[in-house]
Amino acid sequence: MATASSLSNVSNISGTPAAAQPSGWATKQDWTRHEDLIRRLYEQRTLPDLMQEMRRKHDFKATIKMYKMRIKQWGLHKNRIQSKIRARARENKPGVTYQKRSLTHSDDSNAGCEDVIRHEKRRRMTDNVREHFTPIPSPIVMPGLLGISESIFCGLRDYYKGSFERGIWVSGTQELGCYSIKFAKDTPKYLYALLDQCRLACRLFANNHCQEAGQALISATAGVKKILEAEHPKTLSLLFELLLRCQREQRREIALTILRHFSDFGELLFGNVHPLGRIFGWLALVDELHFEEVVSRCLRSASEHFEINLGPMHRSTLDSRLRYIESIYRHHDINQKEVLQQNLLEMCERTLGAQDIRILEIRSWLAFRHFERKDYAKAIEMGEVILAYAHQAEISFLQCSLRSRVHYVLANSQYKLRKPGLAKANLREAIAIREREWGIHDYYVIFWSETLEKWRFEHYSFELW
């Protein structure tokens, strides 16, 4: 039974009158006597477990409020480490210093690797915390609260490097790009059908045509298995580009649908340790706030890995870099896009010929930049030069993609300059090229056909047509 003096001490700790306290509560002397033990247990266990053990083994009775006040007085900061770790994870900035193997916080306090691992062991997060202190985790571990984005980038590195080392991807020629030995003739149609149907679904959702949008999504995901089986080198770059579009058009549900399909089929085809399926699974776990940032970094990472394995002038490297520039900078960053693409063109022109397909590809993007800046005469001039060389391209697929895009830029530029006859002819040519290669359900065939009809019905176009 505690004395009156003891109850008085308890009232000082708990903040309640002594008369209201029941007997048997820890006194000031009890706290002093057990301080070292409590400090040691607090570093190893959660507070509820600590309280239970102290009461069971040492008959030490205190409320959680009393414990928290004493912990604060003693300057213990275990929970602060946890809050900092969570903050770092939310920002996708783990703040790891590999040389010092410490997690540095904004208040200049450091938690060593072993301390953090021991601290997180109770929550079964040891592997994930250890992964933060390891620059290249091997094998890859499915992340929890920490390390999702880092695991994605490590998975990308392993996938690109492994695909070349195992001979799945062959470098091919510098002009034509690398290819997959598992490549099937109809693979591009499944891949581009996926992109087209997802773009169409975004437009249908925006116009409240939800049932039609759902059907478009079903069509979009119908070829996921064949896309994964082919392992085309362009697949990841194109999908990252699509995910960014869905996110920016506030259609996250479409992005998640795509990711889950690829993750499930990836596990089915390759098992649960293959990086390809796991990359999609990890991306689906990224929160909405950081999704665009992580996918943008994935697109840049793809370009970097092509350059590491193939060199800076390889067509696959340049194509991936162009997609990154095009996707990462939004509509209001036209000047920045043009500067980066112009720099890329100048770099290529120092070593490549004017008729090289890589030069023509970069010029086609620059022609579109001129159109966006309303420099229609410059866009037409560059487009006509490109078409003069494009007829000499040896690969029909590249010729199709390049020529159709240039005809579209020419058509829109000519329409803006009130040259409806030339505009109409170029847009129809662009539609015909895409339709011959991809069929009438191609996204650009549908979109450009709608553009042609729209021109017909604009208020000033009746007399022009």
Side-chain angles (χ1 to χ4, degrees):
M1 184 67 68
T3 63
S5 175
S6 299
L7 292 176
S8 176
N9 289 330
V10 173
S11 70
N12 292 335
I13 297 173
S14 64
T16 57
Q21 294 290 337
S23 62
W25 295 96
T27 64
K28 183 177 181 180
Q29 290 76 17
D30 293 333
W31 284 103
T32 302
R33 185 170 65 256
H34 293 292
E35 179 178 350
D36 291 341
L37 176 61
I38 293 173
R39 282 176 176 270
R40 188 168 62 254
L41 291 175
Y42 184 67
E43 291 299 325
Q44 301 171 355
R45 307 190 180 191
T46 63
L47 185 55
D49 290 343
L50 184 156
M51 293 173 61
Q52 183 178 2
E53 178 162 341
M54 288 299 297
R55 183 160 186 172
R56 186 179 68 253
K57 292 186 178 181
H58 305 282
D59 196 25
F60 188 87
K61 184 179 178 183
T63 65
I64 192 168
K65 183 176 180 181
M66 295 178 187
Y67 273 100
K68 287 182 178 179
M69 292 183 67
R70 287 292 177 177
I71 287 168
K72 184 177 180 180
Q73 290 176 13
W74 293 339
L76 301 180
H77 301 298
K78 180 183 68 173
N79 288 337
R80 184 171 63 183
I81 295 174
Q82 181 180 349
S83 65
K84 294 294 182 181
I85 291 173
R86 288 176 178 171
R88 295 288 184 183
R90 286 195 300 270
E91 297 172 2
N92 283 330
K93 297 176 181 178
V96 178
T97 302
Y98 297 115
Q99 293 82 358
K100 297 182 179 179
R101 297 184 66 79
S102 64
L103 186 62
T104 303
H105 306 304
S106 59
D107 57 359
D108 296 329
S109 63
N110 291 327
C113 173
E114 292 77 10
D115 294 334
V116 176
I117 292 172
R118 184 175 62 251
H119 168 71
E120 293 300 323
K121 191 172 183 179
R122 299 190 308 277
R123 288 170 173 75
R124 299 179 182 178
M125 293 172 59
T126 309
D127 291 336
N128 304 320
V129 175
R130 188 172 287 121
E131 186 173 318
H132 269 288
F133 291 86
T134 308
I136 304 177
S138 181
I140 299 173
V141 181
M142 175 61 79
L145 178 63
L146 301 175
I148 294 177
S149 59
E150 285 78 4
S151 295
I152 293 171
F153 303 134
C154 290
L156 284 172
R157 178 206 63 213
D158 293 344
Y159 179 62
Y160 279 84
K161 182 180 179 181
S163 295
F164 284 110
E165 288 182 347
R166 291 183 292 114
I168 302 298
W169 292 353
V170 180
S171 61
T173 65
Q174 290 280 326
E175 297 82 5
L176 303 180
C178 61
Y179 60 92
S180 170
I181 61 171
K182 300 163 66 177
F183 179 82
K185 185 177 180 180
D186 58 351
T187 299
K189 294 189 177 181
Y190 286 109
L191 182 55
Y192 283 93
L194 168 70
L195 304 179
D196 295 345
Q197 291 299 317
C198 286
R199 294 188 190 109
L200 180 60
C202 287
R203 292 178 59 203
L204 291 170
F205 273 123
N207 294 318
N208 295 320
H209 299 309
C210 297
Q211 184 173 355
E212 293 86 346
Q215 291 298 320
L217 274 179
I218 293 173
S219 300
T221 55
V224 169
K225 183 172 180 288
K226 289 188 175 292
I227 293 170
L228 284 170
E229 286 175 336
E231 292 194 67
H232 194 286
K234 276 189 176 182
T235 297
L236 284 178
S237 294
L238 291 172
L239 287 175
F240 294 150
E241 188 179 354
L242 176 61
L243 293 173
L244 283 176
R245 178 189 288 266
C246 293
Q247 180 72 15
R248 290 169 180 173
E249 294 185 12
Q250 299 182 348
R251 298 264 66 100
R252 180 170 169 80
E253 68 277 13
I254 295 179
L256 291 177
T257 298
I258 297 167
L259 289 171
R260 286 164 184 159
H261 271 77
F262 274 90
S263 177
D264 291 344
F265 274 107
E267 183 174 347
L268 179 67
L269 293 172
F270 307 119
N272 58 7
V273 297
H274 193 281
L276 186 57
R278 304 188 81 184
I279 288 167
F280 297 114
W282 288 329
L283 279 172
L285 297 175
V286 177
D287 63 274
E288 186 172 3
L289 181 63
H290 298 104
F291 187 78
E292 184 174 336
E293 176 190 352
V294 173
V295 177
S296 298
R297 289 176 61 192
C298 287
L299 197 54
R300 182 180 65 187
S301 179
S303 172
E304 292 170 348
H305 288 303
F306 274 127
E307 182 171 355
I308 290 170
N309 289 281
L310 300 172
M313 290 293 107
H314 198 280
R315 176 169 175 79
S316 295
T317 301
L318 294 173
D319 180 74
S320 183
R321 188 173 297 176
L322 283 168
R323 292 188 180 281
Y324 170 71
I325 294 171
E326 190 67 19
S327 299
I328 196 65
Y329 296 101
R330 300 194 183 191
H331 183 70
H332 57 270
D333 296 322
I334 296 173
N335 291 336
Q336 183 66 20
K337 283 184 181 181
E338 183 175 358
V339 168
L340 293 172
Q341 289 169 348
Q342 186 65 45
N343 291 340
L344 195 60
L345 177 63
E346 292 172 359
M347 181 184 73
C348 292
E349 284 180 330
R350 287 194 288 268
T351 56
L352 307 177
Q355 297 183 23
D356 193 287
I357 188 67
R358 292 164 285 180
I359 295 286
L360 299 181
E361 188 74 24
I362 299 172
R363 288 186 182 278
S364 72
W365 290 110
L366 282 170
F368 196 76
R369 294 288 81 75
H370 291 309
F371 169 74
E372 288 182 318
R373 295 182 62 182
K374 300 182 180 180
D375 190 353
Y376 304 125
K378 186 70 173 177
I380 291 172
E381 178 186 350
M382 184 169 286
E384 289 175 344
V385 171
I386 294 169
L387 287 179
Y389 289 123
H391 290 291
Q392 303 176 27
E394 297 178 359
I395 302 299
S396 61
F397 169 69
L398 296 177
Q399 189 177 10
C400 164
S401 177
L402 181 63
R403 288 180 60 218
S404 62
R405 181 165 62 245
V406 174
H407 277 293
Y408 175 74
V409 173
L410 284 174
N412 280 273
S413 299
Q414 289 161 346
Y415 185 75
K416 293 294 184 181
L417 294 178
R418 302 296 182 89
K419 298 178 179 179
L422 291 173
K424 182 179 179 180
N426 273 299
L427 189 55
R428 283 185 169 172
E429 180 64 18
I431 294 170
I433 292 171
R434 294 289 305 191
E435 189 173 323
R436 282 196 300 270
E437 190 68 27
W438 306 112
I440 59 174
H441 299 296
D442 175 70
Y443 171 81
Y444 289 106
V445 170
I446 296 172
F447 179 66
W448 293 348
S449 298
E450 291 175 356
T451 300
L452 191 60
E453 289 302 312
K454 180 181 177 182
W455 287 354
R456 292 181 181 276
F457 292 100
E458 287 185 346
H459 66 280
Y460 61 84
S461 63
F462 287 101
E463 295 179 2
L464 296 176
W465 293 111

